[in-house]
Amino acid sequence: MTHVPERYARQARFHGIGVEGQSELMEKRVLVVGLGALGAAVADQLVRAGVPLILVDRDYVEVTNLQRQTLYTEQDALAETPKAIAALERLRAINSDVELDARIADVSWEWLRTLSPVDLVLDATDNVDTRLLLNDFALERGIPFMFASCVGAYGMNYTIMPGEAPCLRCLMRHLPLAGQTCATAGVVAPIVQHVASRQVVETLKFLTGRLEKLERRLLIEDMWENQSQRLDVARLVDVSCPSCQTHEYPSLVSNRQQTALLCGRDVVQVRRSIEGLEPIAHQLERADIAVKRTPFTLEWRWRNHRMLLFLDGRVLVHGTDEAHVAVAIVDECLGV
Ligand SMILES: [Zn+2]
């Protein structure tokens, strides 16, 4: 009989998983994209369950995250720790046996191409562009992709199995996303935990090979209005879909955006190629700009804008929602 570490005894006791299922879980690898509320919740549950993870997030911890992003502390917000770093530290403290890889990065096609094989992709992002990129990446690699979204007290789950339409691109025009974000419409923690739990249970089913148990419908829940729906979406296949039908994968293109507005936060992200943070710090200091250093970021102020530069060359310009303004400010600080 296969040996299962004691910490997983109750899970292995569960009839749906068993000792064999537990061994399967520990040998698979799941990519979690985004470490906001949803990513933190699924990573917490999956790490406790013994599932090896690759985690990726581009952002840092802020005080407004603490109400729902359960892996982070006040100290993380104070230090503006990148979420990938803060999450990794916390998850390692929860389960030091499980294999974890956490990256500070903005997910792009270039970045995904460098990844070693994963068995499954979990959506914990906050934007349509990245979701469609993950949809195309998963379809092209022939692995499942679990879409999830929450805003307010409202959430959705849908699992895309390769070779089984419709995909997320087919469904986009049918989904009631309506451009709302957590920054504009708010969000309460219970819907996040609910949607995350659905993602995790489907992950456990898939990784243990219990495909007949998978939920194939689109699930919609409004926890405040006490409404839930399970929609059979099989007939919503777009026969000309370039992702699941003609396999052109339009989102798998090079660095789609040089700038991006971050989830309605009055922050614009601008990209620059840099060779380390220290040369930039010296350059700013020579111009009499005070620089705050962490191992992962440089922070400074310029014309009332708070600027944060990451090692991968992304600059977050706070206090504007206009791309051309942000680009001009970065040009002023770093040179064109
Ligand atoms: Zn499709």
Side-chain angles (χ1 to χ4, degrees):
M1 188 162 159
T2 317
H3 171 71
V4 163
E6 192 182 4
R7 64 184 304 144
Y8 306 121
R10 298 295 182 277
Q11 187 167 277
R13 171 73 64 185
F14 172 63
H15 70 88
I17 292 180
V19 171
E20 294 303 324
Q22 183 60 46
S23 304
E24 297 269 345
L25 292 180
M26 298 188 299
E27 283 160 17
K28 299 289 168 50
R29 200 149 54 143
V30 174
L31 172 63
V32 179
V33 181
L35 285 167
L38 204 48
V42 297
D44 181 273
Q45 288 195 35
L46 288 174
V47 160
R48 289 176 195 275
V51 179
L53 301 178
I54 299 177
L55 307 160
V56 55
D57 192 278
R58 64 184 179 184
D59 215 344
Y60 59 91
V61 182
E62 293 177 285
V63 72
T64 56
N65 301 152
L66 301 180
Q67 158 254 358
R68 66 196 180 284
Q69 303 190 14
T70 50
L71 293 176
Y72 311 125
T73 64
E74 289 180 358
Q75 180 53 39
D76 295 324
L78 209 61
E80 296 181 341
T81 310
K83 289 182 184 178
I85 302 298
L88 183 64
E89 196 172 303
R90 172 83 176 147
L91 293 168
R92 285 218 167 113
I94 290 168
N95 187 347
S96 57
D97 289 340
V98 76
E99 190 191 316
L100 294 173
D101 177 358
R103 321 263 190 99
I104 309 169
D106 192 21
V107 171
S108 62
W109 172 221
E110 281 89 346
W111 187 85
L112 288 167
R113 285 161 80 157
T114 65
L115 269 190
S116 43
V118 292
D119 297 282
L120 171 67
V121 180
L122 295 187
D123 170 19
T125 68
D126 56 12
N127 67 87
V128 170
D129 284 345
T130 308
R131 287 187 172 120
L132 289 176
L133 171 65
L134 296 175
N135 178 73
D136 285 9
F137 168 72
L139 284 170
E140 200 248 358
R141 286 237 173 151
I143 54 178
F145 169 51
M146 292 186 186
F147 159 71
S149 163
C150 348
V151 63
Y154 181 90
M156 287 186 280
N157 290 86
Y158 179 64
T159 298
I160 294 126
M161 295 297 286
E164 291 179 33
C167 74
L168 187 62
R169 194 180 298 275
C170 293
L171 294 184
M172 280 318 290
R173 60 200 156 100
H174 302 285
L175 293 177
L177 289 166
Q180 285 192 315
T181 70
C182 296
T184 56
V187 61
V188 291
I191 189 63
V192 176
Q193 297 296 328
H194 179 83
V195 166
S197 291
R198 286 207 185 284
Q199 265 186 315
V200 170
V201 78
E202 296 306 301
T203 296
L204 298 179
K205 292 175 192 174
F206 173 73
L207 296 182
T208 56
R210 304 297 299 271
L211 303 189
E212 78 283 2
K213 292 287 184 191
L214 284 174
E215 174 59 87
R216 304 305 177 99
R217 294 168 293 185
L218 168 66
L219 303 183
I220 299 179
E221 182 89 24
D222 189 324
M223 294 185 97
W224 202 260
E225 300 300 334
N226 311 313
Q227 290 168 351
S228 63
Q229 290 175 284
R230 290 164 188 265
L231 302 175
D232 182 355
V233 291
R235 64 188 172 76
L236 297 181
V237 177
D238 172 358
V239 292
S240 62
C241 175
S243 297
C244 68
Q245 299 298 307
T246 62
H247 310 293
E248 294 158 76
Y249 311 119
S251 291
L252 302 188
V253 292
S254 293
N255 244 338
R256 308 152 295 139
Q257 296 164 296
Q258 292 298 306
T259 59
L261 182 62
L262 293 195
C263 196
R265 262 177 38 196
D266 217 24
V267 181
V268 176
Q269 172 180 285
V270 178
R271 289 176 170 281
R272 283 289 182 270
S273 40
I274 61 165
E275 282 167 25
L277 297 175
E278 210 41 43
I280 306 278
H282 285 302
Q283 181 186 330
L284 293 168
E285 282 166 348
R286 276 199 299 274
D288 287 329
I289 298 171
V291 177
K292 184 174 145 195
R293 292 169 169 84
T294 79
F296 322 101
T297 59
L298 286 185
E299 183 182 343
W300 70 95
R301 297 195 70 88
W302 179 255
R303 295 179 192 272
N304 291 327
H305 295 280
R306 193 158 73 85
M307 315 284 291
L308 196 65
L309 170 67
F310 289 87
L311 265 172
D312 64 1
R314 292 176 299 115
V315 193
L316 300 187
V317 183
H318 294 71
T320 182
D321 56 7
E322 293 186 81
H324 71 277
V325 172
V327 168
I329 293 167
V330 171
D331 287 346
E332 282 174 7
C333 293
L334 304 187
V336 182

